């Protein structure tokens, strides 16, 4: 889609956040595509959001609330952020826009007054913007050539730089800076510097909107700009599903051949085409996502016109009375905008509900609280250059992950001949895998396939599968059974689209700071779920008891409970517990395929082995970034991410990790903990070291790497001596006072204080983000506010309550104070209403009551486990209770005696 012109505005905001309402009104009223902003006064904690626009900003290097620049650009415009300029004398935010004439860079510039800038520094800055650019902002450079009253040294240097490098400039010739001191004379400080853009295509006009001490400039660029295309989708809320089923029933052919591998590939291509055509025909076409402009109410337009008239009068006559009238009109406009926003907010929150009648609007309003969407800034390439465009960024990610999905190099002393020879040996005969029934496929689609999961490259979603008619289910079942019969996994299901999300707290310019998320075809995941049901009975005795990951009736809390029991027994017996918590490097991405196949061939019947061998071979991925896709790249290691079988394959690969009768091993997928207990601290570490030596040999054989610097050793003990440090790969593991394992913070004395404080900090952050819905300004009903607390905030602190409930009452009060505070905020309760009354009115249990209730439920689940290690958690007969500490098994009754 091509837009014939751009509306560009330039403005010195002198603090952007305080002008939010009028900024939003300004860009809507004037149909602005790109707003270049100087003096934002942003810091790292600043937040500014305008619907349908992307915000890019550059703060002052000292991160204080002064200086800075920003760009607001319409989301529908094809653009990319490029590296910013962040110095004391220039702060510039830059984006490139795709046009039919090539890339044009737009730069929002702010040059603070105190610094001396020469022409070479200006040249160095403009050189970074490319061959075509428009750099607008407050340069604090005066010269009569662009309309200033007089020239200052910076203006002369800037003009020399413009003339020597054949740049051009464009201004209105009218003042843009209006000092509040009437003894000072207005002047022109805001203008554009351009290169590669003819003035015949660029028209600028003054504007008297906005209430900063600078007036904005609006420019029109007659350039043909390429807009973003809407993402391809098969269905929407307007899809006619009856029509969809009728189309499939009329066009599907159940008698396609499925006797060879080629037939299976063609069958999958056929069913995909039938489903896609039916979905497209049953779904109305979407309109353009470009928002409509000029939606401003008429009374606001009149106030804006009045303010413009008064500002023009004041700028002409400079009379203090006129200035007073202008200030009153400006303040009245601000108050009206604020009231309009509050009225809209009240109506919006009143209409939110968790019900289907409003399309679950309450949950949609909170879905971004956990994972706010972040744009991807320019990425640094290996050679030091910048990947700026979407295509360049995708290529950078593609190069990086092509190395990630390769196995670690073998140990120089490793001998893999026995593994290779075993893989080449003939397979033994085994019974075929039981075929699938259409009813079985239907049940899995109905109960285990999510309608909200993102689709793969074929765009077929779980919702579409749920709406398939019986003839569609039958054809899918025929294809699945052909796959079992031929022991062949189709190539079309081995292509993963990889999207990337930033890791928290990592530098966003580094390609390694992003986590890959693989999107596979939903039909392939349906087949994997059905195959897993056939695999689970075979794998029942192949997975060690200490592995709790991806197993039914095995939870993270139960695994932590095992460790807590060992540590508690250590305290009671006056022993030392030397423990190692290992961080496996790129665990799922670096699984060695030959090693995994070796273990699969030893573990599974060969009918399962053959299909899993086909499943792992010839897999590919492509990076998807917005509407850009890279070429297919081979995956040479790892279990398929985003798949159903991937996790269980990793569990099989690591099932033979060395253990010792002198230590306790606890694993949950790749999270590994090893505990060694003894009365002698040296002997405790010696036992742990012996086990780590065996693990070290095992790691080298199977090409698994542990990040020693991120692993840790913690000594759990109430005694004063310290256990010696242990080594892995001849590197000392760092000792720590506490460790985070499966979401629980375990301190060396197991007081749970650190865990509770971490939860309180997490709750404070979430509550602040949720304040707009549960705060006093929200008109959401009290019932819905309580519901939000129960489903968003409460699960944060109730996680693991059956373990940390043994903490002291002073620590428990930390969470109780938070709950009381939030409930008071929700109910707007006056100070004289007690917390007990509030809890009683909303029928919400206190923290102590929740400890008793949830501990009872947790312990009831332990009895139903198939793992004897979990069942033994209920038996504390061997523990001698010497210390005055609360037992986990006594938590259901801990607070009952006081009632």
């Amino acid at each position: 889609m091509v837009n014939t012109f751009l509306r560009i505005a330039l403005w010195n905001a002198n603090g952007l956040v305080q002008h939010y309402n009028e900024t939003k009104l300004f860009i809507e009223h004037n149909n602005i595509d790109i707003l270049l902003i100087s003096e934002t006064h942003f810091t790292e904690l600043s937040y500014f959001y305008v619907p349908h626009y992307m915000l890019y900003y550059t703060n002052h290097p000292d991160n204080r609330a002064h200086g800075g620049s920003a760009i607001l650009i319409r989301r529908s415009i094809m653009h990319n952020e490029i590296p910013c300029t962040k110095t004391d004398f220039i702060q510039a935010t830059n984006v490139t826009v795709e046009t039919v004439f090539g890339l044009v860079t737009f730069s929002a510039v702010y040059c603070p007054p105190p610094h001396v800038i020469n022409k070479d520094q200006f040249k160095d800055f403009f050189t970074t913007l490319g061959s075509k650019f428009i750099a607008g902002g407050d340069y604090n450079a005066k010269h009569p050539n662009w309309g200033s009253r007089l020239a200052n040294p910076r203006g002369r240097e800037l003009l020399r730089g413009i003339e020597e490098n054949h740049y051009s400039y464009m201004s209105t010739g009218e003042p843009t800076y209006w000092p509040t001191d009437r003894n000072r004379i207005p002047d022109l400080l805001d203008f554009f510097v351009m290169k590669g853009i003819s003035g015949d295509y660029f028209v600028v006009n003054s504007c008297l909107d906005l209430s900063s001490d600078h007036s904005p400039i609006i420019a029109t660029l007659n350039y043909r700009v390429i807009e973003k295309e809407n993402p391809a989708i098969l269905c929407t809320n307007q899809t006619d599903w009856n029509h969809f089923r009728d189309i499939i029933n009329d066009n599907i052919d159940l008698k396609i051949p499925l006797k060879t591998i080629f037939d299976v590939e063609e069958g999958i291509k056929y069913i995909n085409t039938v489903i896609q055509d039916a979905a497209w025909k049953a779904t109305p076409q979407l309109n353009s996502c470009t928002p409509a402009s000029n939606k401003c109410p008429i009374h606001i337009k009149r106030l804006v016109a009045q303010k413009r008239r008064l500002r023009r009068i004041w700028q002409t006559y400079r009379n203090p009375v006129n200035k007073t009238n202008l200030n009153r009109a400006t303040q009245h406009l601000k108050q009206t905008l604020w009231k309009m926003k509050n009225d809209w907010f009240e109506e919006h929150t009143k209409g939110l509900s968790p019900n289907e009648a409003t399309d679950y609007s309450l949950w949609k309003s909170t879905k971004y609280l956990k994972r706010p969407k972040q744009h991807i800034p320019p990425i640094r390439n290996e050679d030091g250059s910048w990947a700026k465009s979407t295509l360049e960024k995708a290529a950078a990610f593609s190069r990086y992950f092509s190395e990630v999905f390769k196995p670690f190099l073998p140990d120089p002393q490793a001998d893999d001949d026995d593994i290779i020879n075993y893989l080449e040996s003939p397979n033994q005969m085994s019974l075929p895998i039981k075929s699938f029934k259409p009813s079985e496929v239907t049940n899995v689609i109905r109960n285990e396939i999510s309608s909200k999961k993102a689709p793969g490259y074929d765009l077929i979603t779980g919702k579409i599968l749920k709406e398939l008619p019986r003839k569609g289910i039958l054809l899918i079942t025929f294809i699945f059974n052909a796959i079992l019969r031929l022991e062949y996994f189709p190539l079309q299901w081995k292509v993963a689209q990889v999207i990337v999300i930033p890791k928290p707290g990592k530098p966003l310019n580094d390609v390694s700071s992003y986590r890959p998320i693989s999107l596979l075809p939903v039909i392939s995941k349906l087949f994997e779920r059905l195959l897993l049901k056939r695999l689970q009975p075979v794998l029942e005795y192949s997975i060690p008891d200490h592995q709790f990951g991806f197993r039914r009736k095995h939870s993270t809390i139960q695994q932590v409970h095992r460790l807590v029991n060992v540590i508690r027994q250590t305290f009671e017996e006056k022993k030392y517990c030397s423990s190692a918590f290992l961080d496996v490097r790129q665990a799922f991405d670096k699984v060695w395929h030959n090693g995994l196949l070796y273990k699969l061939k030893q573990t599974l019947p060969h009918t399962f082995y053959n299909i899993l061998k086909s499943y792992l071979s010839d897999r590919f991925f492509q990076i998807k970034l917005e509407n850009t896709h890279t070429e297919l790249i081979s995956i040479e290691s790892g279990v398929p991410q985003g798949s159903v079988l991937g996790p269980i394959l990793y569990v099989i690969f690591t099932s033979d990790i060395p253990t010792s009768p002198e230590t306790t091993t606890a694993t949950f997928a790749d999270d590994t903990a090893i505990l060694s207990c003894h009365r002698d601290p040296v002997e405790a570490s010696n036992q742990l070291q012996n086990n780590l030596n065996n693990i070290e040999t095992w790691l080298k054989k199977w090409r698994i790497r542990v990040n020693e610097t991120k692993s840790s050793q913690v000594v759990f003990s109430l005694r004063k001596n310290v256990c010696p440090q242990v080594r892995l790969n001849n590197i000392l593991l760092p000792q720590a006072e506490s460790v985070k394992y499966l979401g629980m913070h375990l301190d060396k004395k197991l007081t749970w204080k650190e865990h509770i404080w971490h939860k309180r900090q997490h709750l404070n952050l979430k509550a602040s983000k949720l304040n707009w819905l549960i705060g006093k300004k929200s008109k959401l009903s009290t019932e819905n506010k309580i519901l939000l607390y129960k489903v968003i905030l409460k699960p944060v602190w109730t996680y693991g309550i059956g373990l940390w409930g043994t903490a002291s009452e002073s620590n428990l009060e930390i969470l109780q104070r938070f709950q009381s505070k939030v409930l008071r905020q929700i109910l707007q309760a006056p100070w004289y209403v007690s917390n007990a009354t509030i809890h009683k009115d909303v029928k919400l249990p206190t923290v102590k009551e929740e400890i008793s209730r949830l501990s009872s439920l947790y312990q009831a689940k332990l009895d139903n486990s198939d793992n004897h290690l979990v069942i033994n958690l209920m038996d504390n007969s061997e523990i001698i209770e010497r210390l005055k500490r609360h037992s986990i098994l006594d938590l259901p009754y801990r607070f009952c005696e006081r009632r």
Side-chain angles (χ1 to χ4, degrees):
M1 186 173 180
V2 178
N3 191 9
T4 57
F5 65 90
L6 278 179
R7 293 276 286 175
I8 307 157
L10 168 63
W11 179 45
N12 182 312
N14 196 16
L16 183 58
V17 174
Q18 62 186 338
H19 299 295
Y20 171 76
N21 290 321
E22 56 179 330
T23 302
K24 182 181 175 182
L25 174 66
F26 171 75
I27 60 179
E28 289 181 356
H29 182 70
N30 295 283
N31 196 23
I32 300 299
D33 296 300
I34 303 175
L35 176 59
L36 309 178
I37 309 167
S38 305
E39 266 199 289
T40 56
H41 295 181
F42 278 179
T43 68
E44 292 180 354
L45 302 178
S46 300
Y47 177 78
F48 193 89
Y49 170 73
V50 176
H52 309 297
Y53 285 80
M54 289 288 292
L55 174 69
Y56 304 95
Y57 58 89
T58 303
N59 298 341
H60 195 279
D62 62 11
N63 197 39
R64 292 165 54 194
H66 67 112
S69 63
I71 293 180
L72 269 172
I73 182 169
R74 200 183 296 277
R75 287 179 181 271
S76 61
I77 297 174
M78 289 288 289
H79 69 278
N80 298 288
E81 184 187 13
I82 64 174
C84 63
T85 300
K86 192 174 183 179
T87 63
D88 288 335
F89 56 89
I90 294 180
Q91 293 106 52
T93 306
N94 312 314
V95 299
T96 59
V97 174
E98 297 187 29
T99 73
V100 295
F101 304 107
L103 294 177
V104 178
T105 301
F106 289 85
S107 179
V109 184
Y110 178 65
C111 300
H115 305 281
V116 176
I117 311 177
N118 58 43
K119 63 177 182 179
D120 293 327
Q121 290 173 310
F122 279 120
K123 177 185 175 182
D124 292 340
F125 162 65
F126 290 128
T127 302
T128 64
L129 303 181
S131 59
K132 291 183 180 181
F133 65 79
I134 298 174
D138 181 2
Y139 291 90
N140 277 297
K142 300 180 182 180
H143 201 282
N145 279 33
W146 46 78
S148 302
R149 288 189 312 107
L150 45 83
N152 62 4
R154 183 183 294 183
R156 298 188 187 98
E157 289 294 313
L158 177 57
L159 182 60
R160 291 193 189 103
I162 291 174
E163 292 175 345
E164 290 180 7
N165 295 282
H166 307 290
Y167 303 148
S168 60
Y169 51 82
M170 186 71 71
S171 71
T172 61
E174 300 175 356
T176 60
Y177 172 57
W178 306 90
T180 53
D181 184 357
R182 64 191 182 95
N183 294 320
R184 299 181 61 186
I185 302 175
D187 212 340
L188 189 151
L189 297 179
D190 309 270
F191 53 92
F192 297 95
V193 177
M194 303 181 298
K195 180 184 178 183
I197 307 293
S198 172
D200 297 335
Y201 298 101
F202 200 74
V203 180
V204 295
N205 295 287
S206 298
C207 179
L208 300 178
D209 291 347
L210 304 173
S211 59
S212 168
D213 55 353
H214 288 247
S215 56
I217 299 172
I218 297 179
T220 301
L221 176 63
N222 293 307
Y223 246 53
R224 299 174 66 191
V225 176
I226 302 173
E227 294 191 349
K228 294 181 180 178
E229 296 180 0
N230 290 326
I233 54 176
L234 289 183
C235 64
T236 65
N237 292 334
Q238 285 76 42
T239 300
D240 186 346
W241 293 113
N242 291 326
H243 187 40
F244 168 77
R245 286 185 285 269
D246 291 340
I247 295 173
I248 290 182
N249 285 328
D250 293 340
N251 293 279
I252 201 166
D253 182 9
L254 298 180
K255 296 181 180 181
I256 61 173
L258 293 170
K259 296 181 179 180
T260 66
I261 290 174
F262 177 78
D263 291 341
V264 169
E265 295 287 358
E266 288 297 312
I268 293 172
K269 182 179 179 181
Y270 173 73
I271 186 65
N272 286 348
T273 303
V274 169
I275 293 175
Q276 290 167 351
D277 288 345
W280 272 318
K281 291 177 181 178
T283 304
Q285 290 186 353
L286 293 175
N287 296 324
S288 174
C289 62
T290 304
S293 61
N294 257 346
K295 296 182 293 185
C296 180
I298 187 64
H299 70 283
I300 297 294
K301 290 183 179 180
R302 290 172 178 169
L303 291 177
V304 171
Q306 181 183 9
K307 193 195 81 167
R308 287 179 178 177
R309 182 178 60 81
L310 293 174
R311 183 162 189 161
R312 191 180 298 108
I313 293 173
W314 173 73
Q315 291 173 354
T316 303
Y317 299 106
R318 307 289 289 176
N319 190 309
V321 176
N322 297 333
K323 177 62 173 175
T324 302
N325 295 334
L326 174 62
N327 290 343
R328 287 176 181 170
T330 301
Q331 192 65 26
H332 180 50
L333 176 61
K334 284 184 177 181
Q335 291 174 354
T336 305
L337 289 172
W338 182 256
K339 184 178 183 302
M340 185 177 69
K341 178 185 176 182
N342 283 347
D343 292 342
W344 171 87
F345 182 79
E346 289 184 8
E347 291 298 320
H348 176 68
T349 51
K350 281 180 183 178
L352 296 178
S353 79
N355 305 319
E356 187 178 3
T358 60
D359 197 18
Y360 306 101
S361 56
L362 181 61
W363 306 127
K364 289 182 178 180
S365 296
T366 62
K367 67 178 180 179
Y368 292 114
L369 293 176
K370 293 183 180 179
R371 295 180 180 177
K373 186 175 181 180
Q374 291 181 301
H375 72 277
I376 298 177
I379 299 295
R380 179 77 72 176
N381 290 316
E382 293 180 356
D383 59 0
S385 61
W386 290 99
K388 304 173 185 177
S389 68
T390 304
L391 183 61
E392 291 173 343
K393 294 177 191 175
F397 285 119
S398 182
R399 290 190 295 270
Y400 172 73
F401 287 116
S402 66
E403 295 299 321
V404 169
F405 297 133
K406 290 181 180 179
F408 289 115
L409 295 176
D411 188 82
Q413 301 176 353
D415 185 8
D416 301 333
D417 291 343
D418 57 336
I419 295 176
I420 302 300
N421 293 334
Y422 181 73
L423 291 178
E424 293 177 351
S425 64
N427 296 335
Q428 298 178 357
M429 296 294 292
S430 60
L431 293 174
I433 303 174
K434 182 181 177 182
S435 299
F436 304 123
K437 297 180 180 179
S439 60
E440 188 178 1
V441 176
T442 302
N443 288 334
V444 172
I445 291 176
R446 183 183 298 117
N447 301 319
E448 300 183 34
I449 298 296
S450 173
S451 301
K452 299 180 180 179
K453 294 293 185 180
Y457 70 91
D458 59 5
L459 303 179
I460 298 175
T461 64
K463 174 64 175 175
I464 292 176
L465 292 186
K466 291 178 184 291
E467 298 292 343
L468 283 176
R470 177 168 175 78
K471 290 180 71 174
I473 298 295
L474 285 174
L475 182 55
I476 290 176
T477 307
F478 295 160
I479 294 173
F480 286 177
N481 288 331
I483 292 171
L484 296 182
R485 185 176 62 254
L486 297 171
E487 298 176 354
Y488 169 77
F489 195 85
L491 282 172
Q492 297 174 66
W493 291 350
K494 298 180 184 180
V495 177
Q497 280 192 341
V498 175
I499 60 175
V500 294
I501 59 173
K503 299 176 182 177
K506 300 290 185 178
L508 297 181
N509 296 116
D510 190 351
V511 70
S512 63
S513 299
Y514 293 81
R515 181 176 289 108
I517 303 297
S518 297
L519 304 179
L520 293 169
V522 176
I523 298 181
S524 74
K525 291 193 278 189
L526 171 61
F527 174 79
E528 290 181 50
R529 289 187 181 277
L530 291 163
L531 183 62
L532 183 59
K533 292 181 181 296
R534 302 288 192 267
L535 265 174
Q536 284 174 337
V538 181
L539 295 174
E540 185 174 357
Y541 302 103
S542 301
I543 301 175
D545 290 338
H546 63 75
Q547 175 61 263
F548 280 34
F550 313 113
R551 300 177 66 184
R552 292 178 64 251
K553 299 181 181 179
H554 291 67
S555 67
T556 55
I557 299 303
Q558 292 172 355
Q559 188 66 288
V560 179
H561 191 170
R562 284 187 62 221
L563 301 187
V564 171
N565 267 13
V566 174
I567 297 169
R568 179 169 173 263
Q569 187 172 356
T570 300
F571 292 167
E572 297 289 355
E573 296 177 358
K574 300 182 180 181
K575 293 182 179 180
Y576 296 87
C577 180
S578 183
S579 60
F581 294 84
L582 305 183
D583 180 82
V584 181
R585 187 186 306 172
Q586 296 176 326
F588 290 83
D589 299 332
K590 293 289 190 179
V591 171
W592 180 34
H593 282 177
N594 281 345
L596 174 57
L597 291 173
Y598 177 84
K599 296 181 180 182
L600 289 174
K601 192 169 184 178
Q602 287 184 323
T603 304
L604 301 175
H606 288 282
T607 47
F608 284 104
Y609 167 74
N610 288 335
I611 194 170
L612 290 176
K613 180 180 179 181
S614 174
Y615 174 78
L616 288 171
S617 63
D618 300 322
R619 300 195 74 95
F620 298 88
F621 79 94
Q622 62 175 183
I623 299 295
K624 177 186 176 184
L625 199 60
E626 296 182 0
N627 292 327
T628 300
H629 302 79
T630 63
E631 295 180 353
L632 296 181
I633 299 176
S634 175
I635 298 175
E636 301 177 16
S637 70
V639 294
Q641 292 202 20
S643 66
V644 177
L645 294 175
I648 198 68
L649 293 179
Y650 179 83
V651 168
I652 295 173
F653 183 61
T654 58
S655 61
D656 59 342
I657 184 173
T659 59
S660 168
E662 297 173 337
T663 61
T664 300
T665 302
T667 54
F668 196 98
D670 61 321
D671 292 304
T672 305
I674 306 165
L675 279 63
S676 171
C677 303
H678 202 276
R679 289 186 178 275
D680 182 6
V682 177
E683 185 60 27
S685 284
N686 286 340
Q687 293 176 171
L688 178 61
Q689 185 64 64
N690 291 335
N691 195 2
L692 289 177
N693 292 338
N694 295 332
I695 291 176
E696 181 179 331
T697 304
W698 177 82
L699 292 172
K700 291 179 179 178
K701 179 178 181 180
W702 301 109
R703 304 189 189 182
I704 302 173
R705 300 289 185 268
V706 169
N707 195 330
E708 294 85 5
T709 57
K710 291 185 179 180
S711 303
S712 61
Q713 179 189 6
V714 180
V715 178
F716 297 99
S717 178
L718 299 179
R719 306 183 70 178
K720 294 183 179 180
N721 294 335
V722 179
C723 295
Q725 275 186 279
V726 294
R727 294 174 178 268
L728 185 64
N729 297 323
N730 207 27
I731 298 176
L732 287 173
L733 298 185
Q735 288 191 333
E737 297 290 312
S738 65
V739 66
K740 184 179 180 181
Y741 183 70
L742 301 180
M744 303 285 287
H745 294 82
L746 308 176
D747 59 276
K748 67 177 186 178
K749 294 187 178 180
L750 211 61
T751 62
W752 298 107
K753 182 177 181 179
E754 184 171 351
H755 175 79
I756 291 173
W757 270 112
H758 273 92
K759 292 301 177 184
R760 178 61 192 266
Q761 292 171 354
H762 189 189
L763 287 165
N764 288 342
L765 181 61
K766 275 204 163 188
S768 64
K769 292 181 178 180
L770 205 60
N771 184 67
W772 72 283
L773 282 176
I774 64 175
K776 63 180 181 180
K777 292 184 178 180
S778 172
K779 299 302 179 182
L780 204 64
S781 66
T782 302
E783 293 76 12
N784 281 336
K785 289 182 180 181
I786 297 295
L787 180 62
L788 286 177
Y789 173 77
K790 288 180 179 179
V791 299
I792 295 180
L793 296 177
K794 188 176 178 180
V796 174
W797 62 264
T798 55
Y799 175 75
I801 196 172
L803 304 182
W804 62 257
T806 58
S808 65
E809 294 195 31
S810 61
N811 287 330
L812 298 181
E813 283 298 319
I814 295 173
L815 296 175
Q816 182 58 63
R817 287 195 293 270
F818 171 81
Q819 177 166 285
S820 300
K821 176 183 176 182
V822 173
L823 293 181
R824 282 187 171 275
Q825 180 184 7
I826 289 174
L827 299 178
Q828 301 183 32
W831 62 269
Y832 51 81
V833 178
S834 67
N835 291 331
T837 303
I838 293 174
H839 281 73
K840 184 177 180 181
D841 288 345
V842 299
K843 299 179 181 179
L844 198 67
T846 63
V847 172
K848 293 179 180 178
E849 291 170 343
E850 286 288 32
I851 290 174
S852 299
R853 184 180 70 87
L854 295 178
S855 296
S856 299
L857 296 175
Y858 166 68
Q859 293 176 22
K861 292 180 180 179
L862 296 181
D863 292 329
N864 299 324
S865 177
D866 300 330
N867 192 331
H868 70 91
L869 296 179
V870 175
I871 298 175
N872 290 341
L873 296 176
M874 295 296 295
D875 182 14
N876 63 349
S877 58
E878 297 182 0
I879 298 179
I880 301 173
E881 296 188 359
R882 176 180 62 87
L883 301 172
K884 295 181 180 179
R885 288 194 170 207
H886 297 285
S887 169
I888 292 175
L889 299 183
D890 296 336
L891 284 182
Y893 320 103
R894 177 180 176 184
F895 303 104
C896 294
E897 299 175 355
R898 303 182 184 181
R899 297 177 191 169

